[in-house]
């Protein structure tokens, strides 16, 4: 099997994680490995677009709440709502209390149950409230929070695709990317994203550096806790679980960045 080029990896990442017009030319384990390692770059692009829309509205005279709503809406649009749908389906599966096979069947259904609705509402409210507070404190800090949260959300996917994390189903996106990323590569990606986030936050001062690093670490810890619970509960990960991990990490990061 030929080695994956950086372009193939980027195509896989952007083609599967965003709606950007990118054609995925390879769909194999090697391409999936490179694509999941590049997932934070897809998050960076999504976060930059979200921050640009938020800042544009603020420049035009909109208040922090409206800018926050628009900022939260952009990642949903740029991912076709797949991560939010995954969060809702994962909540329904976990909340059902049924055996793994039945829970996975519930998650695969097209409708959303009460657990999914409640989780979606609370997550979106938390994201909007946190971003509104960040924008009210500083436009630049709000934009930084949008970029960091989107990037960390996709970093959570890189870590979830590491070796020895099994797939719950033999088909689907979860099966295509489960276990493709070497543990060392996942850790290096985590260090790189954390370092980059800290470097950007250094513009605002030492306190912001510490808060940003804490936001990254706590968001990854929250995603890891959900990942382990889903792996025990379902026997592995699915595409829906990946979506739930991304939204969990993004929400945690925004909440932490809005504190203090």
């Amino acid at each position: 099997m030929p080695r994956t080029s950086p372009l193939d990896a980027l195509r896989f990442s952007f083609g599967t994680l965003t709606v950007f017009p990118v054609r995925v030319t390879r769909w194999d384990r090697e391409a999936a490995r490179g694509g999941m390692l590049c997932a934070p770059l897809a998050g960076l692009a999504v976060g930059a677009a979200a921050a640009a829309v938020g800042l544009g509205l603020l420049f035009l005279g909109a208040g922090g709440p409206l800018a926050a709503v628009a900022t939260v809406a952009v990642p949903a649009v740029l991912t076709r709502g797949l991560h939010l749908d995954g969060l809702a389906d994962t909540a329904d599966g976990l909340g059902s209390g049924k055996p793994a096979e039945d829970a996975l069947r519930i998650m695969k259904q097209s409708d959303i149950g009460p657990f999914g609705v409640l989780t979606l509402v609370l997550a979106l409210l938390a994201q909007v409230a946190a971003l509104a507070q960040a924008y009210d404190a500083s436009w630049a800090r709000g934009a930084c929070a949008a970029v960091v949260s989107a990037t960390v959300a996709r970093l959570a996917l890189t870590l979830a695709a590491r070796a020895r994390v099994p797939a719950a189903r033999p088909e689907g996106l979860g099966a295509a990317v489960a276990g493709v990323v070497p543990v060392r590569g996942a850790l290096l990606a985590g260090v790189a994203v954390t370092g980059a986030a800290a470097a950007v936050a250094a513009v605002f001062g030492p306190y912001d550096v510490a808060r940003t690093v804490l936001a990254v670490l706590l968001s990854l810890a929250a995603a890891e806790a959900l990942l382990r619970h889903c792996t025990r509960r379902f026997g592995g990960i699915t595409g829906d679980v990946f979506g739930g991990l991304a939204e969990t990490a993004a929400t945690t990061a925004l909440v932490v960045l809005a504190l203090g």
Side-chain angles (χ1 to χ4, degrees):
M1 183 179 297
R3 292 182 62 85
T4 304
S5 69
L7 186 57
D8 286 331
L10 288 171
R11 282 175 174 164
F12 187 98
S13 182
F14 279 80
T16 57
L17 299 178
T18 74
V19 298
F20 293 128
V22 176
R23 186 168 64 91
V24 180
T25 55
R26 287 182 55 181
W27 187 265
D28 52 55
R29 301 287 284 182
E30 284 290 329
R33 178 180 297 111
M36 295 311 292
L37 282 170
C38 290
L41 294 178
L44 177 62
V46 170
V53 170
L55 290 175
L57 285 174
L58 289 170
F59 180 77
L60 293 174
L66 180 57
V69 170
T71 302
V72 170
V74 169
V77 172
L78 292 181
T79 59
R80 298 187 183 92
L82 289 180
H83 292 165
L84 291 171
D85 181 66
L87 175 66
D89 288 341
T90 300
D92 281 334
L94 292 174
S96 69
K98 295 184 179 296
E101 184 176 348
D102 293 331
L104 288 171
R105 185 168 57 252
I106 290 172
M107 293 166 63
K108 203 169 184 179
Q109 294 174 355
S110 59
D111 60 331
I112 299 178
F115 289 105
V117 171
L118 181 61
T119 302
L120 268 183
V121 170
L122 292 177
L124 290 172
L125 284 175
Q127 291 179 15
V128 170
L131 272 169
Q133 183 172 332
Y135 277 136
D136 285 341
S138 165
W139 290 12
R141 284 184 171 86
C144 182
V147 174
V148 169
S149 64
T151 305
V152 172
R154 278 68 182 179
L155 173 60
L157 304 186
T158 302
L159 298 179
R162 68 183 182 271
R164 296 191 292 276
V165 177
R169 298 191 186 102
E171 76 284 340
L173 178 61
V177 301
V180 297
V181 177
V183 173
R184 182 181 178 184
L187 292 176
L188 288 175
V191 171
V193 171
T194 304
V200 172
V203 175
F204 306 111
Y207 177 78
D208 286 273
V209 172
R211 181 170 57 181
T212 300
V213 171
L214 181 63
V216 172
L217 295 179
L218 288 180
S219 64
L220 294 179
E224 179 67 18
L226 178 60
L227 172 65
R228 295 190 177 211
H229 183 54
C230 289
T231 301
R232 290 193 300 268
R233 185 72 174 76
F234 306 136
I237 57 174
T238 68
D240 285 331
V241 171
F242 273 105
L245 295 174
E247 291 299 330
T248 297
T251 304
T252 302
L254 288 173
V255 170
V256 175
L257 289 170
L259 299 177

